[in-house]
Amino acid sequence: MHKRYLLILMTVLAFFLAACGSSEETGSSDNQDTAAEEKKKDEGEEKEKKEKKEEKEEKEEKATDEEEASPNGGEVMTDNITEQSEGDVEVLYTNEDPGFKNDMDGFIVSVEKYQVLKVTDMNDDMYIEFDDQNDGYVVVAEVKVNNTKDKAMYYPSFLRLQGMNSTDFLTSSRTFVRDEYPKSEVEEETSKYAAGEEVTGLVTFTMTNDQFDVLQSVKPKLVIEGGAADNSSFSDSYKGNETFDFVYGEQQKEEVEAESNLYPDELTTGNLANKTMIFEEEGIDESKQLGDVQVTLDGVQYAEIEPTAGNEARFSNFGEAGMVALTIKLSLDNQSDQPVSIWNLGSKVNVDDGRASVLSQGMVEPSDPQAVEAGESGEKYHVFLFRKDDFESYGSFQLEFGPFIADDGEKMYKGETVTFDLPR
């Protein structure tokens, strides 16, 4: 009996030990599974961190490469554009030193710097500025107004961005830069600048995608408007505008520089026609006296012209034979005591000793300045247009300059003219 109890006891003990062993093995397995899961989780987190780090480094490297590839990148000139639009702003082009200046007899307006920006994913508040679209373009320009004169001056204008022609333009505004707009310290009138006052600020142009596309299809100009005067009624104001090629990208900049030698007649500055140079000669420097005015022939340019899109009707009288423009640059030294008008001259070009004569085309000549003041000097660009087939048959050209016309319509200096043989 004793042996039987001992056998039962040993069996129970063996079973108990086996159960404990099984429990320990199960606990060990659970611990191993938990550790494996934690290790796998740590490895996943580590991999995710590594991927994010690599992605960040890749983005930074890409941004650096883009910045190096585009020297005109960089920071936006004002944070207001990003803050107000709540959009993504990309700098497409920056001109650090455009050299644009309009000196209105000591009242000087200049563009110190400008940027071309692409703005996407804008908020709904900006839709009105971009024709109900949530993306578009912004040009922001730093403008300096410097009144070097010893009296207060009035000036209500700033910049125009010109597209197809002189009637197709955008006007600078305060959009995005209301607090940074050039503001005179003369409190009673914002367009009045005190003697010696100098202010600098920002102006902008906003464009839809379509408007920017048009800008890329022409040769855009930036115009610093004239109009400064010493009185609030703007009588006797300095009306002369100054027109400059507007560069918006590196590739287009090369095209602009290649054509920078073209005379600034309205064909060029007004985007009325594209020119292909045939012949030019500078530095002629031949002078003749016409009454109290010394007239100097500086240079000539002959160019085949093709009307730009939308301007074909202006040249319909010339048919489809093609056209050639002769632009003549002259310097005028007014040695008299009164202004001399230069916008209504009756100049003409005589061809082949009287075979034909062609009148100057005022519609494609610069409209300003309209006169040379007493004791001062100025420039005059005369433009003459020819049918291409006629031009090719001509041999010699002679400019008959003048006569000057007074304000009352009478010819000055007894209607005299001066002549210059033109290089061909």
Side-chain angles (χ1 to χ4, degrees):
M1 191 70 168
H2 179 72
K3 290 181 179 179
R4 184 179 177 185
Y5 288 145
L6 182 61
L7 180 60
I8 293 172
L9 182 62
M10 290 177 66
T11 302
V12 171
L13 182 61
F15 178 79
F16 178 76
L17 290 175
C20 289
S22 175
S23 176
E24 287 176 0
E25 288 174 4
T26 302
S28 176
S29 177
D30 290 342
N31 289 339
Q32 289 176 0
D33 290 345
T34 301
E37 288 178 4
E38 289 180 355
K39 182 179 180 182
K40 185 176 181 181
K41 182 180 179 182
D42 290 342
E43 289 176 350
E45 290 177 353
E46 189 67 28
K47 183 179 180 182
E48 185 177 355
K49 288 180 182 179
K50 185 178 180 181
E51 288 176 351
K52 286 183 178 180
K53 182 180 178 182
E54 289 176 350
E55 183 179 354
K56 181 180 178 183
E57 289 175 349
E58 184 178 347
K59 286 183 178 179
E60 290 176 351
E61 184 178 353
K62 183 178 180 182
T64 301
D65 291 342
E66 289 178 350
E67 187 173 345
E68 290 175 354
S70 177
N72 296 298
E75 297 183 359
V76 180
M77 287 170 58
T78 171
D79 293 334
N80 287 345
I81 297 176
T82 303
E83 293 172 0
Q84 292 180 30
S85 71
E86 297 181 342
D88 298 320
V89 180
E90 178 186 2
V91 179
L92 300 182
Y93 184 77
T94 300
N95 193 332
E96 296 281 357
D97 186 21
F100 300 165
K101 181 172 70 173
N102 189 351
D103 187 346
M104 293 168 264
D105 193 27
F107 186 86
I108 305 169
V109 180
S110 57
V111 177
E112 304 295 296
K113 176 182 178 180
Y114 69 82
Q115 282 185 331
V116 182
L117 310 170
K118 171 70 174 176
V119 188
T120 55
D121 195 25
M122 287 182 279
N123 60 39
D124 291 351
D125 293 339
M126 303 309 304
Y127 280 9
I128 192 171
E129 293 287 343
F130 298 91
D131 195 24
D132 293 333
Q133 300 173 30
N134 68 348
D135 60 291
Y137 294 83
V138 178
V139 174
V140 55
E142 180 182 311
V143 176
K144 180 168 71 175
V145 179
N146 185 12
N147 182 15
T148 67
K149 301 174 77 66
D150 58 3
K151 57 183 176 181
M153 294 291 289
Y154 293 81
Y155 179 71
S157 309
F158 278 109
L159 310 179
R160 294 203 314 246
L161 190 54
Q162 180 179 300
M164 186 179 297
N165 53 51
S166 58
T167 62
D168 172 34
F169 60 85
L170 300 171
T171 303
S172 59
S173 72
R174 291 176 167 85
T175 304
F176 296 120
V177 293
R178 183 166 295 277
D179 295 334
E180 299 167 283
Y181 197 76
K183 183 179 179 181
S184 169
E185 295 180 3
V186 181
E187 295 181 0
E188 64 271 20
E189 296 179 78
T190 56
S191 62
K192 181 179 181 181
Y193 297 83
E197 184 177 16
E198 179 180 316
V199 298
T200 301
L202 302 179
V203 302
T204 59
F205 299 92
T206 58
M207 288 176 283
T208 64
N209 293 318
D210 289 341
Q211 287 173 321
F212 189 72
D213 287 344
V214 170
L215 209 65
Q216 291 181 296
S217 68
V218 298
K219 297 174 182 176
K221 311 294 178 184
L222 191 138
V223 180
I224 302 179
E225 296 182 321
D230 60 4
N231 59 87
S232 58
S233 62
F234 297 98
S235 60
D236 299 321
S237 65
Y238 189 99
K239 299 187 185 336
N241 296 336
E242 289 290 343
T243 303
F244 307 91
D245 290 305
F246 179 74
V247 176
Y248 54 79
E250 283 298 326
Q251 182 176 349
Q252 178 245 2
K253 179 182 178 181
E254 295 177 3
E255 297 173 0
V256 168
E257 289 175 346
E259 298 181 352
S260 61
N261 62 325
L262 294 175
Y263 286 156
D265 55 31
E266 194 67 18
L267 294 168
T268 301
T269 61
N271 284 336
L272 300 181
N274 294 320
K275 288 184 175 181
T276 302
M277 192 73 73
I278 299 173
F279 169 78
E280 65 177 326
E281 185 170 332
E282 293 277 6
I284 299 174
D285 198 27
E286 180 183 353
S287 298
K288 295 189 178 183
Q289 195 72 24
L290 178 53
D292 295 322
V293 181
Q294 179 177 280
V295 182
T296 302
L297 174 64
D298 291 327
V300 297
Q301 289 184 346
Y302 299 84
E304 187 172 348
I305 66 171
E306 180 181 356
T308 52
N311 293 302
E312 296 90 348
R314 295 173 181 264
F315 306 95
S316 58
N317 291 341
F318 290 85
E320 299 180 358
M323 291 177 292
V324 171
L326 164 60
T327 304
I328 304 173
K329 179 182 179 182
L330 301 128
S331 296
L332 306 176
D333 180 11
N334 182 6
Q335 301 162 348
S336 73
D337 58 0
Q338 60 181 325
V340 174
S341 175
I342 60 173
W343 70 271
N344 57 354
L345 295 166
S347 303
K348 59 184 177 181
V349 165
N350 296 312
V351 178
D352 293 344
D353 297 324
R355 174 184 171 188
S357 63
V358 179
L359 296 174
S360 61
Q361 297 289 325
M363 74 166 188
V364 292
E365 294 179 353
S367 57
D368 293 309
Q370 296 188 356
V372 179
E373 298 300 321
E376 296 185 5
S377 297
E379 291 181 342
K380 173 65 179 177
Y381 290 93
H382 260 324
V383 182
F384 301 85
L385 299 180
F386 305 85
R387 281 174 52 103
K388 185 180 178 182
D389 51 0
D390 289 339
F391 174 81
E392 291 174 344
S393 70
Y394 294 152
S396 63
F397 294 83
Q398 185 182 67
L399 171 66
E400 184 178 335
F401 180 85
F404 289 114
I405 309 296
D407 291 339
D408 59 6
E410 294 294 320
K411 295 179 180 179
M412 300 174 64
Y413 310 123
K414 300 179 180 180
E416 292 181 2
T417 62
V418 291
T419 59
F420 298 92
D421 291 326
L422 304 177
R424 168 78 161 85

